[in-house]
């Protein structure tokens, strides 16, 4: 199933505090084992990580890929 619109993506500072967030549009479900993606931009200078669905709004099989480091 598609991920519904309104899930949040947040940018986090080194202490884990939110410094910016944006709501996602609908994210299409994967098709034939090919992942889908949407692009969002956050005005988040100083962010060291991003988190998707930090409020646990979406039931998922796993949440291990909901957070990642920011790369240059």
């Amino acid at each position: 199933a598609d991920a519904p619109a309104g899930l949040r993506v947040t940018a986090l500072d080194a202490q884990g505090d939110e410094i910016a967030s944006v709501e996602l549009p609908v994210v299409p479900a994967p098709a034939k084992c090919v992942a889908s993606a949407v692009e969002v931009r956050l005005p988040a200078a100083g962010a060291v990580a991003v988190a998707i669905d930090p409020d646990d709004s979406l039931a998922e099989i796993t949440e291990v890929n909901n957070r990642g480091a920011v790369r240059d």
Side-chain angles (χ1 to χ4, degrees), residues 36-64:
S36 59
V38 296
E39 184 175 317
V40 296
R41 295 181 185 262
L42 291 166
V48 298
V50 294
I52 300 172
D53 190 27
D55 306 317
D56 287 329
S57 301
L58 182 65
E60 301 176 75
I61 294 170
T62 181
E63 295 183 357
V64 299

Side-chain angles (χ1 to χ4, degrees), residues 1-9 22-31 34-40 52-53 58 60 65-66:
D2 294 346
L7 292 176
R8 289 188 324 124
V9 175
V22 65
E23 289 188 359
L24 290 173
V26 170
V27 180
V34 176
S36 59
V38 296
E39 184 175 317
V40 296
I52 300 172
D53 190 27
L58 182 65
E60 301 176 75
N65 62 348
N66 284 7

